[in-house]
Every structure is written in C-alpha cells, then in structure tokens.
Amino acid sequence: MLSQLARLHTRRAWIYILSLTILAVLVIPVLNRAVPKDSVFYLPDYLISLCGKFLCYALVALAMDMIWGFSGILSLGQGVFFSLGGYAMGMHLMRVMAGEGVYRSQLPDFMVFLDWKELPWYWLGFNHFWFTVLIIILVPGLLALIIGFFAFRSRIKGVYFSIITQAMTFALMLFFFRNETGFGGNNGLTDFKRILGFSLQEPAVKVGLYIISALVLLISYLLCRYITMSKLGRVLAGIRDAESRIMFSGYNTLHYKLFVFTLAAVLSGVAGALYVPQVGIINPSEMQPANSIEMAIWVAVGGRGTLVGAVIGAGLVNAAKSWFTVAFPNLWLYFLGVMFIGTTLFLPRGVVGLAAILAKKKLTGRDSLQMIDSE
Amino acid sequence: MTRKHLPSIFILITMSLLLLTGPAIQAVKAEDTIKVGILHSLSGTMAISETSLKDVALMTIEEINQRGGLLGKKIEPVVVDPASNWPLFAEKARELIDKHKVAAVFGCWTSVSRKSVLPVFEELNGLLFYPVQYEGEECSNNVFYTGAAPNQQAIPAVEYLMSKEGGGAKRFVLLGTDYVYPRTTNKILRAFLHAKGITDADIMETYTPFGHSDYQTIVTSIKDFSAAKKTAVISTINGDSNVPFYKELANRGIKAENIPVVAFSVGEEELRGIDTKPLVGHLAAWNYFMSIDTKENKEFIKKWQDYVKKHNLPGGDKRVTNDPMEATYIGINMWAQSVIQAGTTDVNAVRQAMGYQKVKAPCGFDISMDAKNHHLHKPVFIGEIRADGQFDIVWKTPGPIRAEAWSPYIPDSAKKVADWTYPWVCGNCTAPKYK
Amino acid sequence: MALNGAYGHIAKKDGMVDTSHRTVLYVDGVTVSFDGFKALDDLSLYVDDGNLHCIIGPNGAGKTTLLDVITGKTRPDTGSLFYGQSIDLSKLSESEIAQAGIGRKFQKPTVFEHHTLFENLELALKCNKGVWHSLFGILTPIQRRRIAEVLETIGLTDQVDQKAGLLSHGQKQWLEIGMLLMQDPGLLLLDEPVAGMTPQEIETSANLLKSLSGERTVVVVEHDMEFVRAIAQWVTVLHEGRVLAEGKMDEVQHNPKVIEVYLGE
Amino acid sequence: MSSLSSPYPLVRLLAALFILAFAPPGYPDEGKLEESIGHLGSSSRQEIIASVEALRQLGDHRALPALEALLDRRLRVTKAGRILIKLKTGHGMIDAVTGVVIAQQLDGLDIPVINNQVRIVLSQTIANLRLASPDAEVRLAAAEELLLHPQEEATSALRAAIDREKTTKVRRALALALALTEVAGANKERRLAALDIIGQSDNPNFIVNLKPLLAKQASGEFQEPDEQVRQAARSALSAIERHMVVVGVMQNLFYGLSLGSVLLLVALGLAITFGLMEVINMAHGEMLMLGAYSTYIIQGIFKAHFPDQFAWYLVASIPTAFIVSGVVGMILERSIIRYLYGRPLETLLATWGISLLLIQTVRLIFGAQNVEVSNPPWLSGGWELMPGLMLTYNRIAIICFGLGVVLLVWLFLNRSPLGLQVRAVTQNRAMAAALGIYTSRVDTWTFGLGSGIAGLAGVALSQIGNVGPELGQSYIVDSFMVVVLGGVGKLAGTIWGATGLGVINKFLEPFTGAVLGKIMVLVFIILFIQKRPQGIFALKGRMAEG
C-alpha cells in the first residue's frame, strides 16, 4: 500500500508536498500561537480563519477538478453539495448548544419564533457527532447518486448536464430559503458556540480547525491523485475525450460517471462541513447558482485536470477577492472579470499551464495531470 | 526532475508569502488617525440599498473631519465591500477589527448579514452601529441599533390603519418576502391584531421568494380577500420586488383609498425606481422622511446634496435622503460625541459613554440612546406617497418612543429583559447577571 | 482466440458466442426512422461466422445507421437483432454489446488523444471493466505482453509512449483497429477503415484485415470499391435503407440495379 | 377612474369651468359655497372632510375645480386663508371662489395635506357632482367611482341622473350604483330588484354587499329577517361565484401567457446566442439590463427635449435598445467570444467575467440604485374584459410584443439572405466557409442579433419590473431553462417551452404559493429533461450527434 502511495509522485514532488504540509500545519499555527503579537512574524487570528476558509474552498475546487477537469462533466451543483455538508454540520452545532440560544429553549432560536413546538424528525440524531459525520458524507453522496443516476442514464451530458444541475441548485436554494422547510430560512444557521466541547471563539480551536482542514485537504488530494493515476483515472479522461470509444470498449460509463460525481459530491460536502464552524454561518445563499459557477472558475484559473491547479486557483481567486474588496471596493469586480476573461483567452491551461510555459518545458508525457510530476 | 516542479511550487510559495506579508506590512504603518470601518455591500443584490449608506457615512465623517476631527485626530474610513455575501460580511468584520483595528464599524443592512457578523463583534469586542429597521429579538452589548424596532414602526402603522382616520381597516393582508424580518414582524403583528380582536379569518399571510417579480396571482388574491371587509395590506416585501408589486397594483386599478398598502421597506430611495403617480395614498411608516419640514432636516438634505455634487456621485440631483441614511448619520455623530466624552476610542469606554447620548436629529427631535437596550428612542411618522415620490406625513407620534428589543407579543420573548447597565449587564436574560 | 482466458477474464460466462448455425449476426426486419425519414427500412441481413463481409452503398443508404443499431447506439423501431443464436442485442447497452464481443471502429478515428498508445490499448484490454477493478487493478505481465503483441500487429511499437493525438490520420486508424483487437471481439465492425489513407497505407490495411478474418468475423462498411474488391468475401449493397443486392463481389458488380444506383445518376 | 388617471383631464377641466361660467345665477346658498370652499384649505383634516361633505350637500358644480385641485395637490392657501387653484399647465393660479386669474407669483403658500380618508370623501363628492357632466365618459367614470364607495346620500342624485341619462353604458353603471345603495334600504321591492341587478352584474366586487345578508348572528338567527331577500341574495351570490370560476381559469391562463411571453422574450436572444451558436452566454442577462437602461436613457431624452411626445418614448426606445445591446454584443463577439467557439464550457467562464464587468460599469455610471422607468400613459391601467377579469395593458402589450419579436426573428432566419447564411454557418461551418460565406462576419451578426433581441426584452422588462444593475441576474437561470426545455437550436421549442412554463407556473401558484410553485416547475424541468434529453423539439439522427 505504501509503495503504491509513494508511486503517486516523484521523490522531489513528495518533498515539496511534505514541506508545504509542514508550512501549513506547523509553521503557520506556530507563527500565530507562539510568536508575540508585536513581532513582524506574527500572524493575526483573522488570517488563520481566512486560510482555513481558503482550504475548504480548495477542497471544493479539488472535487470540481475531478468531475470537470478529469471527467469533462461540468457540474454546476457543487455549491449544493457543499451547502448540504455545511447544513449538516450547522445542525449539529445548533443541537449541541440547545438551551443556550437567546430563548433558552431546547429548540433552535428560529424554531422558537416560528412557533414550532418540537424538533422536526429530520433534525433528530444531529446531537451525535458520529451521526453528523455520517450525514455529511451520505446526504451529498446520495443526492449525487440519485441525480447522477437519472441524468447519466438518460445520457445527459455537456451543457445539458450543467443546466440540469443548475436547475437542481436553484430549486434547492429556493427550498432552503423557505422558512417552513425548517433550516432557518434566509438566515440559515448561525451563532454557533461549541464543537466537540471546544469553544468556537477560542483562537486555539480555530487553529485546530484550520489544521484539520489542511490535513483533510492533503488526504483528499492524495486520494484524488491516486484515482487519477489509476486506470480509473484514464477511463475518466477517456470519457472526457471520447466517450463513445470508452463505451464501445465495454465500459459502462454510467458507473464511472456516477462514481466520480458521487466522490466529488462527498468531497464538497466534507468541505462544507469544515467551512461552517470556521466562518460561523451557513445559509441558502451558498447555493446560489453563481457560487457554483465560481467554483468552476477557480479550477479554470488554476488549470484544469491538474489537481494542484484547482488548489492554486481556489487560493488565488479568493485571495484576490479578499484583497481587492478592501483595496478597491469600487473596482474589484473589474479585476475579477478581467481575470476570468484573461484566463480563458490566454491561459486555457490556467496558472499551472502558464508556469509550465514559463519554465519553457514542452508539455509531453502521459497526460496533463502529469504536468507537475513526470515528463 | 527537480526544476520541473519549480513553477507550481513557486506560485504556491509566492501566494502564501503574499498572504502572510501583505497584511503584516500594512499593519506596521504608524497610527495617527482614528480608523472606522464601513461595512456595506457595494456590489451584489444589496448594493441597491447599501451604497447610499456608505456615501452618507463618508459624508458624515468628512463633516466631522472638517470640524477638526476627534481627539485631535482625523477619522479615516476603511471602506470594504462584502458584496452581499453573508460569510464575507463576517470575514470583513474580522479583518476590520483584527487587522485595521477600527474603533467602530458602521454597516450591515439585512438581518442575515448582522447575524453573520454578530459573533465576530462579540468575540473581538468590537462596536457595530446597525442603521436599519429590523425585527428585534436581539440585543447585543457590541451593537448599537439606530434603526427602528418593530414597536417603532410596524405597530404604530397598524394602529393607524385601524383608526378611523386611517380608513378603519378590519382585514389585513400580511405580505412579505420569505425571510426573517417579515416573518418575525408578521408574527408580532398577528399577536398584536389578536389583541385588538381581529381573528385569524381576517388575516391573510403570504410570502414570496427573493427577487419575485410576478405579482399577478397575489394581487388577485388580495383583491378577492378584500371583498368581504375593509382591507389593508401590510407589506414587508424586500428590495427589488417592490417595483413589480406596485406596478401590478397600479395597473389593476387598485387605489390606496380602497386597499391601502403600508410598507416598512419602501422609502424615498426605493420610490426613485417607481413611477409613483398611480401609488398616491399608499403608506409607509418610518422614523424619518425627507419631506419633514424642520431646520435640521433642511441642513441635512443640503449637506447631502452638496456632497453628492462635490463627489459627482451617480444619480446627481435626483439623490434623496431616507430613514436608514438618517440613522447612519445619527449613529456616527453619536459615536463621535461619545468618543469626545470618553476621551478615547476604547470600545468599553465609548460603549459606556453611548448610553443616554443625545443628538438633535434631522427629524427634528432630540434622539437619545437607550443605555439599557442599545436602541434609539425614535419618533414614528406615517407618510402617504405623493405623486412626486415624496411622502405627505399624515400622522406622527408626539415624541420619541422607546424601542422594545424583545417583543411583548411573542411569549418566549416577553419574559426577556435587555439591560446593559449595572447590575443587569445582560441583553437577554430574565434575572440580573454580573460581569 | 488462442490467448483467451489466459490474459483476462471475461464478463460473460465464457465469452464465446454460439455460432452453431454458422451465422454470427442476424438482422431481421429492422426499421429506424428519424422524424419520418426511414434510415433503415425493414432491413434484413445475415453475417456468416469468420467471413469478411463488406457493406457498400451510396451516401445516405443507412450504412452507419446499421452499425449504430448493431452496437446499441440507436434503438430500432421494429425488428430484431441477434448476435449468434442467443444474444439479443436489442436488450443490451453499448458497453454490454462490446463486452459480448462486438467491436466497432468509427468513421472518424476515435482514440484517446491525451493518452499514450500504451494507455489507449490498456483501456481497450479485455478484462473486468468495473469501477473497482479499474481503481485497484494492476496489469499482469501477460496483459503487458498482449499489448506489445497488438502494437506489433499494427506496427506502432516505436510510438508506444507517444500521445495518440500526435499520430497521423492513418496511424490513428490502425491504433483504433488495434484497440479493437485488444477487446478480442468475435465480430469486428469497421466504418470506412481506409478513408483518408495513402495507397500504401491502404494496402497495409487490406493485409491487416485479411489476416484478421477467419479467426474473427469482420464487417467493413466502405466507399472505396478498389479496397472492397481487394478484401471482400461477401458484399451487401444497401440503398435507401434496404438491401439492394447481395453476393460475391463479381456478382454484385454486374447487378443491373447496383449499376443503376451507382452510375445512373 | 379617478381624475388622476383619466385620459381627458383637460377636457374635464374645461367642462367644469364651462359649468362654472354659465351656472344659473342666484344660487340660494351662495355664502355657504364660499365658506365651504374656504375651509378646504384648513390644516385640520376633519375640517376639510366636513367642508367637502358640505359641498356635496350643496351639489353645486362650481365647487368642482377646487375639489379636483385638492385631490391633485394643486390647491394653495395664502397666509390670509385665501384659496387658490394652481392650473394644470403653466404657473398660473386662479382664485377658487371668484375664478379670478392671479398673475403675480406668490410666496409662502401652504398646501393642504390630505390622506386616504379625505381622498375617499373627495372622490365620492367629485363623482356626485360629475354625474351632471355633459361628457358621457366623465359620467361613466363618476358612476364607477360611486360603485366603489356606495353611499346612501347619493340615492336621490343617482335617481335623477338615471332619469336624465341617455347613454346605455352609463345608465347601466348608474343603475348598479343605485342598486348597491338600495340593497341596504328599507323598501323590499326595491331591494329584490337591486339584488337581481347585482346578480346579473357578475362582478365579484359586490360579494361584500351580499355576504352580510346571509350572515348569521351569534344567536344563530339570520341577520336578515326576510327569507325572500335572503333567497335573492343567495342566488345573486351563486351567480357571481359561478362567474368567478370562469374568471379564475381565464385569468390564470392570461397570467400564464403573460409570464410565458416574458420568459419567451428573455429566452429568445439566448436561443440564438446559446442555441444556435453554442455560446453559454452568462452575459445574456446583462444584455437585458442594457436594453432596460437604454429605455431609461431614451425616457430621459424625451422628458428633457420632447415632453409633448413623451407617451411615445417607449416606441423610440425599441430600436435604440436593440442597437445598443446588439452593438455591445458584436463588440464582445469580436473581441472575446470568437476565440472560444467550439469550447462551450469555456465561453461560460469568459461571459461570466463579461457580465461582472458590465454590471459594475453600469453601477458606476448610473449608481447602484434602481432607476425609474415609468409606463407611458397608454400602457397604464387595464382592460376589463369581463367583471373581475382585468387584463392590464402592459401585460397585453408584452404578449403582443413577444409575438411580434418572434415573428420578426422567424422571418429573419427563414426569409432573409443573412438568415440563410446564419443557418448555414450554424449547421456546418466548414461547408459554409467553403461556399464563400464570411463565417466570422456571420458569427458577429448572429451574436449581435441575439444580444439585440435581449435588448428588446429589456425594454419589455422595464415596463413590469425594476431597472437596476442586477436586473439580468434574476432572469439568467430561467432563460437557460426555457431554451434547454424547448430544445437547443429550435425556435419553436423556445416558444413552447416559455409558454408552457408560464402557464404551468401560474396554474400551480394559487395552490402551492409562489415559492413552492417555482420549485415544482424546476423539478418538472429536471424530470422532463430526463425523459427527453434534447428538449421538446428533439433533433434526431445525424444532426443530434454533433
């Protein structure tokens, strides 16, 4: 098993991955926790939260790259899976603080002022962490399985699939917006207090969540890397490039597409679950079709079908957004817009592709996914 | 093999460096100003309402700076754009307090944005001035609410509609956009109407999704509902949906004399986007109208118009003032007074000084801050829409009334006390707490 | 099928098709219509086991549609399709038909351009095509040898690590045939396998196809009469979705109806 | 109709002045008239109401101009309490009592503030007085006003008016108004006759007058003791209710069609840029927005330069919007989109960027707030097809406009040489190029056409909704749904898709509410596409391969 794992990257690449991991899970927390506040090297708390958020976005981007970059299926529903994972986590956080809301009721606050007398059945069980983890994985996965089954079985692909998933996104957003649905309506779930007994306001807990996000991202990356390096990865790329040839070679593409769609949904759900305790709110606007489109853009900016590109893209776009919205509040949309147009026109392979060009390396070798690794 | 990885690794490292050092460099800059944060959406769906608040906040700060600033320092506004994205509100709030070390933040419009930033302000002990009418049911030590609570807007309006003068309505349509402000307000109103002897059969409650633009069916059902008794519509429709609603109403020939509509989210700014001639007589309840005829208001309007002209803001001489703008203006001035009184921008000191602070507001009254529940005492005005997009004030309270942060009409909330003064020090408890 | 069973296991029980009646493919009364236009009109056709069977016909005769119907891409409105005695093709999906042993080459060469030749052949390899197997399966030495063998057959051994996208048109055609061979099919359907090839390439292709027949059944849809004459053992002429004539090349060539359709216009 | 929206305000004013000038001399209550008019400027609304009521009692037409002025906010009060009327045109004023024209500019005039309560009494009084107008239209409007607020005091005036009335339409309205006042009266004969008239009217507005007759008291007794009257009321009520079922279906159909035509208009441009050219045009919504802003600009130009022709600004904005959006679309095509043909999913990203740029540009120029685009007078109001079924003019206009645009697009694509080239290029680019068609030029024109049509849709949207920078965002999902549902590349499919969605949505809404209705429609679309992945009008065979 370990030898298989080792084969995913060259030794050099492993060293880089390792050092980046150390930077992320060791150096950054130390700079925040151990360095005195007036030092130049001190990292303020808000940056930890920000980085944690970016890591969650990077995880979604990774999922998006699996489904879009590798398999050529542009799903505009990743935001939904992300939110579902987030809602599951949010429901757990609401349940564990029962009795501490403003009304001191066992019910979440919004239920109290909507005059609900008892917890709806679909809220049961969320006081257990293990149950929540199960739901975080199962619900996005099952939804993807069902939607995917119907869509792929009817041979819906390309633009049609994008639009069907967009319709799903929009419908679910409206559904969650309703107050009667029982997920807090427009406000969603917010004002969380504790996770697994730790106060969410505690800086140390934030660092902990950040480190967990980084590790989950690392593991997910390796998982995706393993998949793309296996024959399954080549079948997926085959589906992207010449689906009929794959079918006439005897592969049931339905199963393959379902696998990758479900995997991407689960990864997105996990990202959402990690995101919620760090940003402190989950509400239906996360399901806006625009958000899902943006996720595709992160991947495009970073470079499709490279995994690393997805992570870089998510970081880059969000960092830019974060910075521009303060530095140029009136003009930041221009920067963002130009960035998207520029990437599609001049960097069809994203930043990673640009880096490769800058390094004056001819891109040959097994696949674009090997761009970083081998030639 | 080694150099082949360089490009991507390089980018990763540059990125993290940028992230790490960028803010650090800025933080080193010497502090010779008092920074305040302006946290209003300048893009996205809420930009339509919030942009004016950013402008008026900048105007007020400029005015204070021209008078010489505070404590010998100039105020430096830090404007950020949370882009109508609620988690981004929380992120920006954290950044404003943690990185920019702002003394106070003026911002938010929607309830969800306020809910999103609230934990941040409580965690980092920041100060938020929230300038918009809202549903109540909240009271934080770190927030000063300068907009209206439901008892300062919704209940007087309904009382007026039920009075002989207001048309003596016997049936009510509670029409709103499906989110927390309309839901809570309508819940309070329903309880209030029950108390006034109106049964559920005479109350119709309908909600539409955000951005709803097709009101044909709803207007028909309002019309049918109104067939039995004198009916009034209480609209908590939010933002953009007001225009299609009013247009449908006007084109169907429903006039204010027959079915008056009183709105809590429609002011001068919103009416700018509507042809108001067919809407004459429909109502709005606010704590301020641009048409209020006082010296202070004339000055305020003049300042605003000069500011718009000077900075060449879009809209030009068509720009109007409205209630949340006045609330923003009051909020900043009150904060400035408190800073002077406290002699520092320290949050705890300023918070203490804020209680009982008084400002002569454009609406013509002395508006004061309630030290106990952090809400303003405000007068209530009811205006009828005129053909020119302004309001005729047809009713007003004799003086400012106190806000009820916790509505007495909701059983769970009636027990609550909001009192941030010693010995209570608690915004939502039933027995004193000490801190 | 010397290597069958040795280098991979087959989805169906034995993967052998029952050709006890010497006919490998039955097409019976098949009709396909698109918006009222009948692409295939009550078409019946039988392919004998081990034959090299050519199907010719003018544009729009329904050749490609026929292949679509056989491989499950298009469902017939009426009629029945049997592979051997027992496999009802109209009930199977594309991938099941492929697994049952029917391989198809498209008119336009369809290979995985972002994959190397090796990977292309690996993907086509006859083995368990399930998701889990793809995820965890590793090539056995026998399977590697089989890939090398096929590369040898199609004459592309030198380019084994090159991306398929960089191949010439003719090489892509061969690669695609190679991929079919990897599937080890009982019935090969080739849609215009020599379109766009140079004369030398055509000759090589003809030899390749001839060497395949006997062991496998090969159906070739073609325009190029020279090529057909060179390889065909049996010829079917399609016209407007029906069989116009059938027989040996010589017979067909002198059939007055065929002459009229081909030359009369 | 009130004086605010009446189409002939000037005529009416002249008529009123005419009456004023030629009123028979020697009214007995001359002093009372003056006094009551004098109180119209009171600062107390109760006093205003009292004096309006007094004027109604007097029934003197000479009070009309002052009353109308009060309603229109044209009444002015001098410091001395003199009542003046500001004329509708120009700056002139006349004295409300004497009718003397006042030339000089007066400062410090007060405007009496009225509210809805005053407005009701005012409208009734004005209607009462107008019953005597020589103009049949004015009389009809007055009778309809009285229908809205029946008042017993008007009974005698109504009877007199009916006796005088020659026009059948007005007579009918007057009879109905009289019936409404008599239902509550004491005369049983008259009450029964009145109920009959009400029942025949089919007008759901009168349910309010019938319900009390059938209501029971707390003791279980009927409020109305007379069984015969109750019987008549019951049959009148059921007649109206029967009629309302018909009205209900008809109005849902109309609402559905009008929603469908809005969807059709917004989707039509996309059916070209996305359907024919396969550009996933996320900036489509912004083309709608540009069209709406063009309308706003044209409106401004008309207001400033051609105030007399203001009613026609909308007509002028149709070509403008088409050109503005079309040109912007062509520029985008030339500069960005043409590099992305054949990569539909990448066009999604680039056009998303374009849409951000366009939104922010408009926001910086016009501000983030909505701008006002008013309905021209000929689009305000509605047409009462039958009692209770009001078809608003703007919706009717949009349905017609939608049909017109579809027809033009169809003619263009199928009957014009350029349309032929467009179809050729979209079907087989290489072949078209080989035939000597400048495919890139055709692409530009096609994209321009699609954007231009979106601009036209923007004109329509400006008439029913708000005009702001984010206008397009709310329609983008809907328009994609319509195009996909109908079948990409099929104009007829788009038409069916849009109308179908509109009608389904509107028939669902009364049962499910707006939110659930919309969700159900989306679910329906998802299920439908499962069944027919290529939309209603599927392409089959070779064409579908692509």
Side-chain angles (χ1 to χ4, degrees), chain C residues 26-62:
Chain C
Y26 296 83
V27 177
D28 254 320
V30 166
T31 302
V32 173
S33 56
F34 300 128
D35 293 330
F37 165 72
K38 284 190 174 168
L40 294 181
D41 187 1
D42 195 20
L43 178 88
S44 298
L45 186 112
Y46 309 95
V47 177
D48 286 345
D49 191 22
N51 227 342
L52 207 167
H53 189 141
C54 286
I55 298 174
I56 58 175
N59 264 334

Side-chain angles (χ1 to χ4, degrees), chain D residues 148-160:
Chain D
L148 287 175
H149 305 287
Q151 22 162 350
E152 251 172 274
E153 300 91 325
T155 319
S156 54
L158 278 169
R159 281 220 190 88

Side-chain angles (χ1 to χ4, degrees), chain A residues 87 110 123 176-179 181-189 284, chain B residues 180:
Chain A
Y87 264 101
F110 72 89
W123 272 75
F176 273 74
F177 258 130
R178 290 171 74 243
N179 272 284
T181 313
F183 297 111
N186 167 61
N187 272 13
L189 311 173
Chain B
V180 66

Side-chain angles (χ1 to χ4, degrees), chain A residues 240-246 248, chain C residues 64 67-68 73 104-113 168-177 179-180 189-197 221-223, chain D residues 342 542 545-546:
Chain A
R240 175 190 67 197
D241 297 336
E243 183 172 356
S244 50
R245 173 44 67 215
I246 284 286
F248 291 119
Chain C
T64 301
L67 294 194
D68 284 350
K73 195 174 181 195
R104 177 184 181 179
K105 199 197 89 57
F106 294 97
Q107 199 167 342
K108 200 175 132 221
T110 311
V111 295
F112 306 116
E113 306 211 336
S168 76
H169 183 78
Q171 287 171 321
K172 280 184 195 164
Q173 301 266 43
W174 289 333
L175 174 60
E176 198 176 1
I177 293 174
M179 289 164 75
L180 295 192
L189 307 172
L190 307 176
D191 201 347
E192 302 194 10
V194 294
M197 282 191 183
V221 167
E222 199 37 87
H223 264 313
Chain D
R542 276 187 196 212
E545 295 299 303

Side-chain angles (χ1 to χ4, degrees), chain A residues 12 20 46 50 53 102-103 112-113 178-180 186-187 206 283 285-286 322 325 332 351 355 372, chain B residues 2 5 7 11-12 81 86-87 91-92 94 98-99 112 123 137 178-180 183 187 412 416 428:
Chain A
R12 271 292 165 177
L20 270 179
Y46 84 93
L50 204 62
K53 198 171 115 174
V102 294
Y103 297 110
V112 178
F113 67 63
R178 290 171 74 243
N179 272 284
E180 285 96 340
N186 167 61
N187 272 13
K206 286 186 182 170
N283 68 47
S285 58
E286 294 292 335
S322 196
T325 45
W332 70 275
V351 176
I372 329 290
Chain B
T2 61
H5 317 292
I11 285 174
L12 266 177
D81 178 13
W86 319 133
E91 181 192 317
K92 293 290 155 204
R94 194 174 283 282
D98 204 1
K99 173 176 154 191
V112 53
E123 178 192 331
E137 300 303 295
D178 193 359
Y179 72 106
V180 66
R183 288 268 175 187
K187 193 180 170 193
D412 286 292
K416 302 216 160 289
N428 83 72

Side-chain angles (χ1 to χ4, degrees), chain D residues 265-289:
Chain D
L265 274 168
V266 299
L268 203 56
L270 197 69
I272 292 173
T273 52
F274 168 58
L276 290 180
M277 307 181 71
E278 293 189 338
V279 173
I280 306 186
N281 187 7
M282 297 308 283
H284 174 71
E286 281 54 59
M287 298 298 158
L288 302 173
M289 185 259 292

Side-chain angles (χ1 to χ4, degrees), chain D residues 301-316:
Chain D
I301 293 175
F302 267 68
K303 235 178 217 165
H305 301 293
F306 316 103
D308 299 339
Q309 276 79 41
F310 180 71
W312 301 108
Y313 84 88
L314 203 56
V315 179

